[in-house]
Amino acid sequence: MSTTPDSTLTFKDFKTDQQVKWCAGCGDHSILVQLQKVLAGQRTDRDHTVFVSGIGCSSRFPYYMDTYGFHSIHGRAPAIASGVKCANPGLDVWVVTGDGDALSIGGNHFLHAVRRNIGLKIIMFNNRIYGLTKGQYSPTSDFGTRTKSSPAGSIDHPIHPISVAIGAEITFAARAVDTDLEHLQYVLARAAAHQGTAFVEVYQNCTVYNNDCYSWATDRQTKHEHIVYLEHGKPLIFGNNRDKGLRFNGDEPEIVELAKVSPDDLIIHDERTHDPSTAFMLARLTHPEFPEPLGVFRAMEKPVYEDLLMGQLAAARDQQGTGNLQALFRAGETWDVA
Amino acid sequence: MGTATGTDVHSDPPRATPIRELAQAAVRFAGDSGDGMQLAGSQFTATSAMFGNDIATFPDFPAEIRAPMGTLAGVSGFQINFASRRIFTPGDRVDVLVAMNPAALKVNLPDLVEGGVLIVNEDEFTPANLQRAQYDGNPLETDAFRNYQLYKIPVTTQTLGAVRETGLGQRDAGRCKNFYALGVLFWLFERQLEPTIRWINAKFGKAPAVAAANRLALEAGYNFGETTEIFGERFRVRPAQLEPGTYRNITGNQATALGIVTAGELAGKPVFYGSYPITPASEILHELSGMKTFDVRVFQAEDEIAAMCAVVGAAFAGALAVTGTSGPGMALKQEAIGLGVMTELPMLIVNVQRGGPSTGLPTKTEQSDLWQAILGRNGDCPLPVLAAQSPADCFWATIEAARIAVKYMTPVVLLTDGYLAQGSEPWRIPAPAELTPIPIQHATDPLTFKPFQRNEVGARPWAIPGTPNLRHRIGGLEKEDVTGNVCYVPENHQRMTLHRARKIAGIVRDVPDQEVYGEPEGDLLVVSWGGTFGAVRTAVERAREDGQVVSHAHIRWLHPFPQNLGTLLKRFRRILVCELNMGQLEFLLRGNFLVDTLGLHKVQGRPFRVSDIREHLDALLGGQAS
């Protein structure tokens, strides 16, 4: 349903006539263009694609994407998108959200969309700050972050979005960085192809309120010391010289120098395993103690909500025939008055 | 006990109990929450309905699933009013009360008419139960009931004896006592046992011993009446003159669910029902969940907010989108309803009102969500609001609401209430020809499509995702007139606010003129809305029968009000607004029409009694006219 034979599509066909109003240098620009490129590359049928967003800088996204779009209210995009998907399962439905939108005011809807494994592709721009309201700490801000609403430092502990998603039984979870264009496209393309709920966390720089919060992951000189790419079936190796790896020491992950261990000792990434515990561990690796994983944490097959929903309707019709109103009205005891 | 229309002492069979003819009778089954009183009541209802009586019922049960056994808090009751004439209410007071334990007796006795029949299960009047009901001593051993016809029946031991042959244990056997009591009542009112036996066989088909026990208990109760001769008389309530047709008994929530499915069929649309369980609206969710052979997609959301949001999304994607809730849920939905108003999408919000504020009285009725329906949400956020007036009317009101929603591209609020939702009455099943299609027009032409270009009634086009080349973006931000692009121009906001207000005000062209029962002008007009119709109309009817000059206007459309309502109100010297709140409609009438009003406000979690209104009318009109 999502593709047409139109091979002439380019990313420009996904641009609207609306002026993009994000700040210069904002990571949102990059995510928009990479997704436009991915959709064009996949020959996506724009008429059968819907972008739903909540509130926040990221949530202006639908205005700039030439598909159907709905810019909704704070935190509620997964719920609105669920309604869209149930009403027309043939649509490709994307949710664009931010860390505050998805995990604070919308935390409940996020959890339950994930739990249902409904066919939504949820892209969460995580800049670890409230940008649109001008710079308060968010649910992913580091402990101690000083902002206008936390001048003495935030006393809230941050949550790890992917571990939250894993806890809610996510079937596809991935992470990318706004400036790593090729990898971002790869991750978005994987999400686009997933059946069920796909969750992508994008590390996104807010130039105004939280500038350089991911410089450790974007600086060309040093980033390979601080991030590790997840590749299915391959060992977790990182470092500028690819000389370090991650292995289990008992239940705990630890960094090892490749020179001192056998490659067989390293953790081999398995995005398809049913046991979520390794993915959960990976989701909790944080800079600077550990390299932070980028890529696909988890990609599982599991029955999809909208298929189950429509399947129950079809099964009922198979067994009982298509509904007849007059028969429905007369269900139970009736009597005639002459 | 209604009007006695004659006494008829039958001579055949010999020594038969005399039979008194009644135009109407009200019966209440009352017992502990676990005593099966709702079941006994609904079986009595079904049998009376099939017999041809006009009926109205009202269940009354506690918010707790199982309050401590035998306590006053755990009393559950079910009242049936049945008649050989048209009736609109379950009756103010009852002519026959069945009290299965001391607590039920204590709670319900005040509602029994003087001289009424009081049947008690004397087995349950044990010292422990008397203490739980806070009785000092056993009232059955006093002359406290000299003004009633008291019948002490050992229902528990009789039931155990009757079902012994089934081999059921004491506990299961004892659970049949509601059917024993039902059997006694069936005898008392000359009712047939067959419909209930059919029901028992169907319900307990997989547990033959239980089915047999219930059947035996029912028959034993009936035979008790037949053989013991303790009753001085039996009663006969003949069939009513109802409009010809096929009928079934229906509760308000069932009628709402059927209305939703029907609206979907009439519109040729899949129904999306997004809801979160809440008393007293949950039955709508349950009913629709069982209608999978229709294209009804039920989404049990994680919370009230998500339910409403999913409805907004489903409306955007082209379904007939509906939610059902009650007061606190309605409060949570307001922001998303505002999004529905701003994006001008069609959807239906059913609010089954209950006592508030906050959690309030979850299982009890009230009409106190009128303000939050009309005045709720942030910003200038008008939407149409209508209210159903009886259980069966919930069906028609739902279809009417859906029709307006898609014609005007707007959320519509339908107000029902706990009394309508759980109460029941006969519903004449509509013939297919009575159900007119709900026309839907979707935008399809990319050359002319503009998301906020309005048609002749002010509605914008409904262009659903999947339509070739109609890609567009909508949202909660203010939009430029016609194009729908985000727009913060001051004059544009004023223009769009006016467009939204005028569109809703214009719905008046689909609102029938307000009708008046009685003279169209004069001294006193009684005004009501929603589920109080039956009590108010009955009170005004009776007042007029007694020679009082009083008229009645029952308002169905609360927003916008009917075109002629203001003129009509001004033709009366006094206006009495009766409502189950502290004066919410009064406030709106005063504000809209600059008229003075009097109010009759009841906020006890119970519907009006006819007598509540009669007494008020008598006071206003200087006593009963001759």
Side-chain angles (χ1 to χ4, degrees), chain A residues 9-34:
Chain A
L9 277 180
T10 74
F11 79 97
K12 288 179 184 168
D13 292 308
F14 287 85
K15 288 180 182 290
T16 66
D17 59 358
Q18 298 296 296
Q19 184 193 356
V20 179
K21 292 181 184 167
W22 288 313
C23 306
C26 173
D28 293 3
H29 295 282
S30 165
I31 306 170
L32 173 64
V33 173
Q34 304 328 310

PDB file of all heavy atoms in Angstrom, chain A residues 9-34:
ATOM      1  N   LEU A   9      10.260  10.062  -8.050  1.00  0.00           N
ATOM      2  CA  LEU A   9      10.164  10.855  -6.829  1.00  0.00           C
ATOM      3  C   LEU A   9      11.563  11.228  -6.322  1.00  0.00           C
ATOM      4  O   LEU A   9      12.461  10.398  -6.304  1.00  0.00           O
ATOM      5  CB  LEU A   9       9.468  10.063  -5.725  1.00  0.00           C
ATOM      6  CG  LEU A   9       7.943  10.026  -5.695  1.00  0.00           C
ATOM      7  CD1 LEU A   9       7.501   9.170  -4.511  1.00  0.00           C
ATOM      8  CD2 LEU A   9       7.355  11.414  -5.593  1.00  0.00           C
ATOM      9  N   THR A  10      11.710  12.485  -5.916  1.00  0.00           N
ATOM     10  CA  THR A  10      12.927  12.880  -5.217  1.00  0.00           C
ATOM     11  C   THR A  10      12.516  13.479  -3.889  1.00  0.00           C
ATOM     12  O   THR A  10      11.323  13.705  -3.643  1.00  0.00           O
ATOM     13  CB  THR A  10      13.729  13.932  -5.996  1.00  0.00           C
ATOM     14  OG1 THR A  10      13.049  15.184  -5.878  1.00  0.00           O
ATOM     15  CG2 THR A  10      13.877  13.537  -7.456  1.00  0.00           C
ATOM     16  N   PHE A  11      13.494  13.761  -3.053  1.00  0.00           N
ATOM     17  CA  PHE A  11      13.139  14.293  -1.732  1.00  0.00           C
ATOM     18  C   PHE A  11      12.425  15.627  -1.847  1.00  0.00           C
ATOM     19  O   PHE A  11      11.639  16.015  -0.993  1.00  0.00           O
ATOM     20  CB  PHE A  11      14.382  14.371  -0.840  1.00  0.00           C
ATOM     21  CG  PHE A  11      15.280  15.548  -1.093  1.00  0.00           C
ATOM     22  CD1 PHE A  11      15.177  16.695  -0.311  1.00  0.00           C
ATOM     23  CD2 PHE A  11      16.243  15.513  -2.090  1.00  0.00           C
ATOM     24  CE1 PHE A  11      16.005  17.785  -0.526  1.00  0.00           C
ATOM     25  CE2 PHE A  11      17.069  16.596  -2.319  1.00  0.00           C
ATOM     26  CZ  PHE A  11      16.951  17.737  -1.557  1.00  0.00           C
ATOM     27  N   LYS A  12      12.630  16.332  -2.957  1.00  0.00           N
ATOM     28  CA  LYS A  12      11.964  17.622  -3.132  1.00  0.00           C
ATOM     29  C   LYS A  12      10.452  17.465  -3.282  1.00  0.00           C
ATOM     30  O   LYS A  12       9.693  18.377  -2.981  1.00  0.00           O
ATOM     31  CB  LYS A  12      12.528  18.343  -4.359  1.00  0.00           C
ATOM     32  CG  LYS A  12      13.936  18.872  -4.117  1.00  0.00           C
ATOM     33  CD  LYS A  12      14.480  19.566  -5.337  1.00  0.00           C
ATOM     34  CE  LYS A  12      15.917  19.985  -5.076  1.00  0.00           C
ATOM     35  NZ  LYS A  12      16.600  20.412  -6.298  1.00  0.00           N
ATOM     36  N   ASP A  13      10.026  16.296  -3.747  1.00  0.00           N
ATOM     37  CA  ASP A  13       8.592  16.066  -3.871  1.00  0.00           C
ATOM     38  C   ASP A  13       7.912  15.964  -2.512  1.00  0.00           C
ATOM     39  O   ASP A  13       6.685  15.995  -2.428  1.00  0.00           O
ATOM     40  CB  ASP A  13       8.337  14.772  -4.658  1.00  0.00           C
ATOM     41  CG  ASP A  13       8.747  14.929  -6.107  1.00  0.00           C
ATOM     42  OD1 ASP A  13       8.296  15.898  -6.738  1.00  0.00           O
ATOM     43  OD2 ASP A  13       9.540  14.102  -6.588  1.00  0.00           O
ATOM     44  N   PHE A  14       8.702  15.836  -1.474  1.00  0.00           N
ATOM     45  CA  PHE A  14       8.127  15.754  -0.130  1.00  0.00           C
ATOM     46  C   PHE A  14       8.172  17.097   0.595  1.00  0.00           C
ATOM     47  O   PHE A  14       7.768  17.201   1.736  1.00  0.00           O
ATOM     48  CB  PHE A  14       8.841  14.668   0.688  1.00  0.00           C
ATOM     49  CG  PHE A  14       8.468  13.292   0.233  1.00  0.00           C
ATOM     50  CD1 PHE A  14       9.116  12.679  -0.828  1.00  0.00           C
ATOM     51  CD2 PHE A  14       7.415  12.616   0.841  1.00  0.00           C
ATOM     52  CE1 PHE A  14       8.749  11.424  -1.263  1.00  0.00           C
ATOM     53  CE2 PHE A  14       7.033  11.353   0.418  1.00  0.00           C
ATOM     54  CZ  PHE A  14       7.701  10.746  -0.649  1.00  0.00           C
ATOM     55  N   LYS A  15       8.679  18.108  -0.059  1.00  0.00           N
ATOM     56  CA  LYS A  15       8.701  19.445   0.545  1.00  0.00           C
ATOM     57  C   LYS A  15       7.359  20.125   0.296  1.00  0.00           C
ATOM     58  O   LYS A  15       6.751  19.957  -0.755  1.00  0.00           O
ATOM     59  CB  LYS A  15       9.802  20.304  -0.092  1.00  0.00           C
ATOM     60  CG  LYS A  15      11.225  19.912   0.291  1.00  0.00           C
ATOM     61  CD  LYS A  15      12.196  20.856  -0.418  1.00  0.00           C
ATOM     62  CE  LYS A  15      13.643  20.510  -0.123  1.00  0.00           C
ATOM     63  NZ  LYS A  15      14.030  20.800   1.255  1.00  0.00           N
ATOM     64  N   THR A  16       6.916  20.925   1.272  1.00  0.00           N
ATOM     65  CA  THR A  16       5.693  21.700   1.072  1.00  0.00           C
ATOM     66  C   THR A  16       6.072  23.140   0.722  1.00  0.00           C
ATOM     67  O   THR A  16       7.257  23.499   0.717  1.00  0.00           O
ATOM     68  CB  THR A  16       4.822  21.724   2.342  1.00  0.00           C
ATOM     69  OG1 THR A  16       5.524  22.442   3.369  1.00  0.00           O
ATOM     70  CG2 THR A  16       4.522  20.317   2.814  1.00  0.00           C
ATOM     71  N   ASP A  17       5.049  23.941   0.467  1.00  0.00           N
ATOM     72  CA  ASP A  17       5.313  25.347   0.150  1.00  0.00           C
ATOM     73  C   ASP A  17       5.483  26.190   1.414  1.00  0.00           C
ATOM     74  O   ASP A  17       5.615  27.396   1.349  1.00  0.00           O
ATOM     75  CB  ASP A  17       4.175  25.907  -0.713  1.00  0.00           C
ATOM     76  CG  ASP A  17       2.829  25.809  -0.015  1.00  0.00           C
ATOM     77  OD1 ASP A  17       2.768  25.270   1.117  1.00  0.00           O
ATOM     78  OD2 ASP A  17       1.832  26.257  -0.602  1.00  0.00           O
ATOM     79  N   GLN A  18       5.471  25.554   2.566  1.00  0.00           N
ATOM     80  CA  GLN A  18       5.579  26.312   3.813  1.00  0.00           C
ATOM     81  C   GLN A  18       7.046  26.571   4.166  1.00  0.00           C
ATOM     82  O   GLN A  18       7.905  25.701   3.990  1.00  0.00           O
ATOM     83  CB  GLN A  18       4.925  25.540   4.970  1.00  0.00           C
ATOM     84  CG  GLN A  18       3.450  25.314   4.773  1.00  0.00           C
ATOM     85  CD  GLN A  18       2.663  26.619   4.752  1.00  0.00           C
ATOM     86  OE1 GLN A  18       2.625  27.335   5.748  1.00  0.00           O
ATOM     87  NE2 GLN A  18       2.086  26.961   3.596  1.00  0.00           N
ATOM     88  N   GLN A  19       7.303  27.779   4.644  1.00  0.00           N
ATOM     89  CA  GLN A  19       8.657  28.128   5.063  1.00  0.00           C
ATOM     90  C   GLN A  19       9.012  27.341   6.327  1.00  0.00           C
ATOM     91  O   GLN A  19       8.228  27.293   7.276  1.00  0.00           O
ATOM     92  CB  GLN A  19       8.720  29.627   5.356  1.00  0.00           C
ATOM     93  CG  GLN A  19      10.107  30.109   5.702  1.00  0.00           C
ATOM     94  CD  GLN A  19      10.086  31.516   6.298  1.00  0.00           C
ATOM     95  OE1 GLN A  19       9.047  32.161   6.382  1.00  0.00           O
ATOM     96  NE2 GLN A  19      11.258  31.979   6.709  1.00  0.00           N
ATOM     97  N   VAL A  20      10.173  26.719   6.291  1.00  0.00           N
ATOM     98  CA  VAL A  20      10.605  25.955   7.466  1.00  0.00           C
ATOM     99  C   VAL A  20      11.115  26.934   8.520  1.00  0.00           C
ATOM    100  O   VAL A  20      12.021  27.718   8.262  1.00  0.00           O
ATOM    101  CB  VAL A  20      11.704  24.938   7.090  1.00  0.00           C
ATOM    102  CG1 VAL A  20      12.154  24.169   8.312  1.00  0.00           C
ATOM    103  CG2 VAL A  20      11.176  23.968   6.027  1.00  0.00           C
ATOM    104  N   LYS A  21      10.511  26.910   9.690  1.00  0.00           N
ATOM    105  CA  LYS A  21      10.765  27.963  10.672  1.00  0.00           C
ATOM    106  C   LYS A  21      11.619  27.513  11.852  1.00  0.00           C
ATOM    107  O   LYS A  21      11.607  28.156  12.901  1.00  0.00           O
ATOM    108  CB  LYS A  21       9.426  28.519  11.180  1.00  0.00           C
ATOM    109  CG  LYS A  21       8.661  29.297  10.103  1.00  0.00           C
ATOM    110  CD  LYS A  21       7.357  29.841  10.672  1.00  0.00           C
ATOM    111  CE  LYS A  21       6.552  30.538   9.584  1.00  0.00           C
ATOM    112  NZ  LYS A  21       5.164  30.805  10.041  1.00  0.00           N
ATOM    113  N   TRP A  22      12.325  26.417  11.732  1.00  0.00           N
ATOM    114  CA  TRP A  22      13.225  26.037  12.812  1.00  0.00           C
ATOM    115  C   TRP A  22      14.450  26.954  12.805  1.00  0.00           C
ATOM    116  O   TRP A  22      14.814  27.528  11.748  1.00  0.00           O
ATOM    117  CB  TRP A  22      13.691  24.587  12.639  1.00  0.00           C
ATOM    118  CG  TRP A  22      12.616  23.572  12.911  1.00  0.00           C
ATOM    119  CD1 TRP A  22      11.775  23.545  13.979  1.00  0.00           C
ATOM    120  CD2 TRP A  22      12.290  22.432  12.102  1.00  0.00           C
ATOM    121  NE1 TRP A  22      10.939  22.454  13.886  1.00  0.00           N
ATOM    122  CE2 TRP A  22      11.229  21.752  12.742  1.00  0.00           C
ATOM    123  CE3 TRP A  22      12.783  21.910  10.910  1.00  0.00           C
ATOM    124  CZ2 TRP A  22      10.661  20.594  12.243  1.00  0.00           C
ATOM    125  CZ3 TRP A  22      12.218  20.752  10.396  1.00  0.00           C
ATOM    126  CH2 TRP A  22      11.166  20.094  11.061  1.00  0.00           C
ATOM    127  N   CYS A  23      15.129  27.050  13.936  1.00  0.00           N
ATOM    128  CA  CYS A  23      16.305  27.911  14.031  1.00  0.00           C
ATOM    129  C   CYS A  23      17.394  27.408  13.067  1.00  0.00           C
ATOM    130  O   CYS A  23      17.481  26.205  12.787  1.00  0.00           O
ATOM    131  CB  CYS A  23      16.889  27.871  15.448  1.00  0.00           C
ATOM    132  SG  CYS A  23      15.717  28.265  16.745  1.00  0.00           S
ATOM    133  N   ALA A  24      18.220  28.348  12.622  1.00  0.00           N
ATOM    134  CA  ALA A  24      19.354  27.954  11.780  1.00  0.00           C
ATOM    135  C   ALA A  24      20.237  27.002  12.577  1.00  0.00           C
ATOM    136  O   ALA A  24      20.509  27.237  13.761  1.00  0.00           O
ATOM    137  CB  ALA A  24      20.147  29.186  11.359  1.00  0.00           C
ATOM    138  N   GLY A  25      20.646  25.925  11.956  1.00  0.00           N
ATOM    139  CA  GLY A  25      21.543  24.994  12.625  1.00  0.00           C
ATOM    140  C   GLY A  25      20.841  23.971  13.491  1.00  0.00           C
ATOM    141  O   GLY A  25      21.482  23.076  14.052  1.00  0.00           O
ATOM    142  N   CYS A  26      19.528  24.062  13.607  1.00  0.00           N
ATOM    143  CA  CYS A  26      18.774  23.085  14.419  1.00  0.00           C
ATOM    144  C   CYS A  26      18.870  21.707  13.764  1.00  0.00           C
ATOM    145  O   CYS A  26      18.788  21.575  12.540  1.00  0.00           O
ATOM    146  CB  CYS A  26      17.319  23.512  14.516  1.00  0.00           C
ATOM    147  SG  CYS A  26      16.261  22.288  15.329  1.00  0.00           S
ATOM    148  N   GLY A  27      18.981  20.697  14.599  1.00  0.00           N
ATOM    149  CA  GLY A  27      19.076  19.330  14.083  1.00  0.00           C
ATOM    150  C   GLY A  27      17.823  18.877  13.366  1.00  0.00           C
ATOM    151  O   GLY A  27      17.844  17.920  12.581  1.00  0.00           O
ATOM    152  N   ASP A  28      16.713  19.565  13.609  1.00  0.00           N
ATOM    153  CA  ASP A  28      15.454  19.166  12.977  1.00  0.00           C
ATOM    154  C   ASP A  28      15.545  19.216  11.450  1.00  0.00           C
ATOM    155  O   ASP A  28      14.953  18.385  10.760  1.00  0.00           O
ATOM    156  CB  ASP A  28      14.311  20.084  13.435  1.00  0.00           C
ATOM    157  CG  ASP A  28      13.981  19.908  14.910  1.00  0.00           C
ATOM    158  OD1 ASP A  28      14.680  19.127  15.579  1.00  0.00           O
ATOM    159  OD2 ASP A  28      13.042  20.547  15.389  1.00  0.00           O
ATOM    160  N   HIS A  29      16.279  20.217  10.941  1.00  0.00           N
ATOM    161  CA  HIS A  29      16.403  20.345   9.480  1.00  0.00           C
ATOM    162  C   HIS A  29      16.945  19.061   8.875  1.00  0.00           C
ATOM    163  O   HIS A  29      16.446  18.574   7.863  1.00  0.00           O
ATOM    164  CB  HIS A  29      17.357  21.501   9.123  1.00  0.00           C
ATOM    165  CG  HIS A  29      16.862  22.856   9.522  1.00  0.00           C
ATOM    166  ND1 HIS A  29      15.908  23.540   8.815  1.00  0.00           N
ATOM    167  CD2 HIS A  29      17.194  23.655  10.573  1.00  0.00           C
ATOM    168  CE1 HIS A  29      15.678  24.702   9.393  1.00  0.00           C
ATOM    169  NE2 HIS A  29      16.447  24.793  10.471  1.00  0.00           N
ATOM    170  N   SER A  30      17.966  18.554   9.508  1.00  0.00           N
ATOM    171  CA  SER A  30      18.611  17.359   8.977  1.00  0.00           C
ATOM    172  C   SER A  30      17.667  16.162   8.993  1.00  0.00           C
ATOM    173  O   SER A  30      17.560  15.412   8.025  1.00  0.00           O
ATOM    174  CB  SER A  30      19.862  17.043   9.800  1.00  0.00           C
ATOM    175  OG  SER A  30      20.294  15.731   9.528  1.00  0.00           O
ATOM    176  N   ILE A  31      16.951  16.022  10.104  1.00  0.00           N
ATOM    177  CA  ILE A  31      16.055  14.859  10.219  1.00  0.00           C
ATOM    178  C   ILE A  31      14.972  14.940   9.143  1.00  0.00           C
ATOM    179  O   ILE A  31      14.636  13.935   8.502  1.00  0.00           O
ATOM    180  CB  ILE A  31      15.433  14.772  11.627  1.00  0.00           C
ATOM    181  CG1 ILE A  31      16.533  14.795  12.701  1.00  0.00           C
ATOM    182  CG2 ILE A  31      14.574  13.525  11.763  1.00  0.00           C
ATOM    183  CD1 ILE A  31      16.007  14.955  14.126  1.00  0.00           C
ATOM    184  N   LEU A  32      14.446  16.131   8.922  1.00  0.00           N
ATOM    185  CA  LEU A  32      13.417  16.330   7.899  1.00  0.00           C
ATOM    186  C   LEU A  32      13.937  15.889   6.528  1.00  0.00           C
ATOM    187  O   LEU A  32      13.290  15.104   5.822  1.00  0.00           O
ATOM    188  CB  LEU A  32      12.999  17.810   7.864  1.00  0.00           C
ATOM    189  CG  LEU A  32      12.039  18.229   6.736  1.00  0.00           C
ATOM    190  CD1 LEU A  32      10.688  17.528   6.885  1.00  0.00           C
ATOM    191  CD2 LEU A  32      11.843  19.747   6.731  1.00  0.00           C
ATOM    192  N   VAL A  33      15.125  16.376   6.180  1.00  0.00           N
ATOM    193  CA  VAL A  33      15.647  16.091   4.837  1.00  0.00           C
ATOM    194  C   VAL A  33      15.988  14.597   4.696  1.00  0.00           C
ATOM    195  O   VAL A  33      15.690  13.978   3.666  1.00  0.00           O
ATOM    196  CB  VAL A  33      16.875  16.970   4.537  1.00  0.00           C
ATOM    197  CG1 VAL A  33      17.514  16.547   3.211  1.00  0.00           C
ATOM    198  CG2 VAL A  33      16.458  18.432   4.491  1.00  0.00           C
ATOM    199  N   GLN A  34      16.567  14.024   5.747  1.00  0.00           N
ATOM    200  CA  GLN A  34      16.918  12.597   5.639  1.00  0.00           C
ATOM    201  C   GLN A  34      15.670  11.754   5.469  1.00  0.00           C
ATOM    202  O   GLN A  34      15.656  10.802   4.681  1.00  0.00           O
ATOM    203  CB  GLN A  34      17.726  12.106   6.856  1.00  0.00           C
ATOM    204  CG  GLN A  34      19.002  12.874   7.169  1.00  0.00           C
ATOM    205  CD  GLN A  34      19.716  13.439   5.958  1.00  0.00           C
ATOM    206  OE1 GLN A  34      19.960  12.730   4.982  1.00  0.00           O
ATOM    207  NE2 GLN A  34      20.034  14.723   6.005  1.00  0.00           N
TER     208      GLN A  34
END
